Amino acid sequence: MIIRQLQDTPADAAAVESVSRAAFRDPADGGDGPPPAPAQLVRELARTVHAIQHDQPGCWIAEQDGEAVGVALSMRREGLWLLSLFAVLPSAQNQGVGRLLLEQAGTYGRGCLRGMLCASPSPAAARRYRRAGFTLHPTIRLTGTVDRAGLIDPGDIPVHPGNPTHRHLLDSVDRRVRGSAHGVDHDFMLAHYDELLIADTLAGSGYCYRTGGAVKLLAATSKRIATRLLREALARTPDGAEVVIDCLTAEQEWAVDVGLEVGLSLSTEGYLAVRGMRPPAPYIPNPAFL
Ligand SMILES: CC(C)(COP(=O)(O)OP(=O)(O)OC[C@H]1O[C@@H](n2cnc3c(N)ncnc32)[C@H](O)[C@@H]1OP(=O)(O)O)[C@@H](O)C(=O)NCCC(=O)NCCS
């Protein structure tokens, strides 16, 4: 087996997608599971290309006899190391491939005092992350459709659509809430998600990305602003769309309460794993960009 850095080629991007799909498939589906919707496939390939272009030393692939068997994508943003994707083909699991990939990706995080990732419920993943020094915070997932009767009067905090001219504001909120800006990741999110919402008042600021029924990232300088942004994002989901809000630790009770207002269901998911920091709050992380 060899482990090498990913290259910015269509073949490597496709290999990341196919390993990831096979690793995360629901065993009940059999085979490699259903292919992703075309828009989702485009987004996933673009996410890999984005990671390789901006963080190539953090992006690794394991190959056995020329076939991709495992991948790890990681990035660094202002002293914060982030693991964006970690997957090994089912047929190659439990043979140490994940450990080697995580060690390689981890060397890219040397010198970063802080680290963060969204972990799946996989016991193997949890073992790897704890062994790598991460603190595991169990997370909640909110799902369902929005009961519009539960949407509360917006009150006096204005929310408006955002665009690339808000980049400084976004990075400032990121630095305040999670200790590092998303930087170039905002370019990706602006290009690939349906909408960016901004709240910017004398009392505080925040932003939220949403696409379809999914809330992709939310950061704000107060719970009041965060709550307002989440209510607005949910109000803007298409009628009947399946809502998914992932990776909520107990720190995000404000978000859980908004979800309950509009009839969403709670379930337990994986973990938010952090090293050298507390879970950011008020904050809804993006599993790919955290
Ligand atoms: C998580 C994943 C990438 C790990 O890759 P891997 O190649 O299987 O990892 P390794 O073989 O290096 O290590 C797995 C460890 O978990 C342990 N393990 C496996 N199954 C376990 C279980 N059910 N309970 C407890 N420990 C378990 C193994 O013993 C091994 O520990 P050790 O090396 O200390 O003995 C892989 O399992 C995977 O792709 N899972 C599905 C996708 C996923 O959840 N990815 C993580 C996203 S956050």
Side-chain angles (χ1 to χ4, degrees):
M1 188 187 63
I2 62 156
I3 295 200
R4 65 167 175 84
Q5 250 176 47
L6 278 160
Q7 302 300 308
D8 185 6
T9 62
D12 272 9
V16 171
E17 195 279 326
S18 81
V19 169
S20 164
R21 180 146 51 96
F24 285 101
R25 77 169 200 263
D26 183 344
D29 289 342
D32 280 353
Q40 190 193 343
L41 179 60
V42 167
R43 200 161 56 224
E44 283 173 12
L45 293 171
R47 182 270 287 265
T48 299
V49 170
H50 175 86
I52 297 169
Q53 287 179 346
H54 296 286
D55 298 87
Q56 192 172 24
C59 298
W60 293 82
I61 183 165
E63 291 175 328
Q64 180 81 52
D65 302 327
E67 189 211 356
V69 293
V71 293
L73 303 181
S74 72
M75 48 184 73
R76 275 191 325 219
R77 298 287 176 269
E78 301 183 350
L80 174 62
W81 180 78
L82 303 147
L83 185 66
S84 177
L85 179 68
F86 181 40
V88 170
L89 283 184
S91 58
Q93 288 175 11
N94 284 322
Q95 298 162 38
V97 178
R99 182 174 54 75
L100 292 172
L101 281 167
L102 199 57
E103 275 170 14
Q104 287 299 333
T107 59
Y108 185 53
R110 271 197 200 132
C112 291
L113 296 182
R114 294 168 298 120
M116 181 160 59
L117 59 95
C118 275
S120 70
S122 151
R127 181 172 172 89
R128 285 274 70 87
Y129 299 144
R130 182 61 202 135
R131 285 278 162 116
F134 283 86
T135 299
L136 303 175
H137 296 263
T139 55
I140 299 164
R141 164 182 274 203
L142 292 170
T143 52
T145 50
V146 172
D147 173 4
R148 292 184 190 278
L151 288 168
I152 286 172
D153 178 358
D156 57 354
I157 302 173
V159 171
H160 58 86
N163 58 52
T165 67
H166 294 104
R167 177 73 177 271
H168 286 302
L169 174 69
L170 306 178
D171 282 341
S172 298
V173 173
D174 289 338
R175 289 192 182 103
R176 166 79 77 86
V177 181
R178 75 163 196 171
S180 77
H182 280 87
V184 292
D185 304 329
H186 284 301
D187 297 339
F188 182 96
M189 291 186 271
L190 279 161
H192 289 275
Y193 296 154
D194 289 351
E195 199 167 32
L196 167 67
L197 300 170
I198 301 272
D200 190 22
T201 72
L202 290 176
S205 308
Y207 70 87
C208 174
Y209 288 97
R210 58 155 285 273
T211 208
V215 174
K216 290 296 196 177
L217 175 65
L218 188 153
T221 58
S222 73
K223 283 184 196 168
R224 194 161 160 258
I225 303 264
T227 299
R228 169 75 179 100
L229 280 163
L230 184 55
R231 285 184 181 140
E232 185 67 31
L234 292 171
R236 287 169 176 253
T237 58
D239 275 336
E242 181 66 19
V243 172
V244 184
I245 308 175
D246 260 333
C247 221
L248 300 174
T249 55
E251 282 79 3
Q252 319 307 339
E253 260 175 2
W254 60 272
V256 171
D257 289 342
V258 172
L260 295 181
E261 280 166 16
V262 298
L264 301 181
S265 304
L266 303 177
S267 54
T268 51
E269 190 56 16
Y271 309 88
L272 181 72
V274 291
R275 191 164 68 184
M277 63 190 285
R278 294 279 315 155
Y283 194 73
I284 300 176
N286 178 305
F289 303 110
L290 278 304

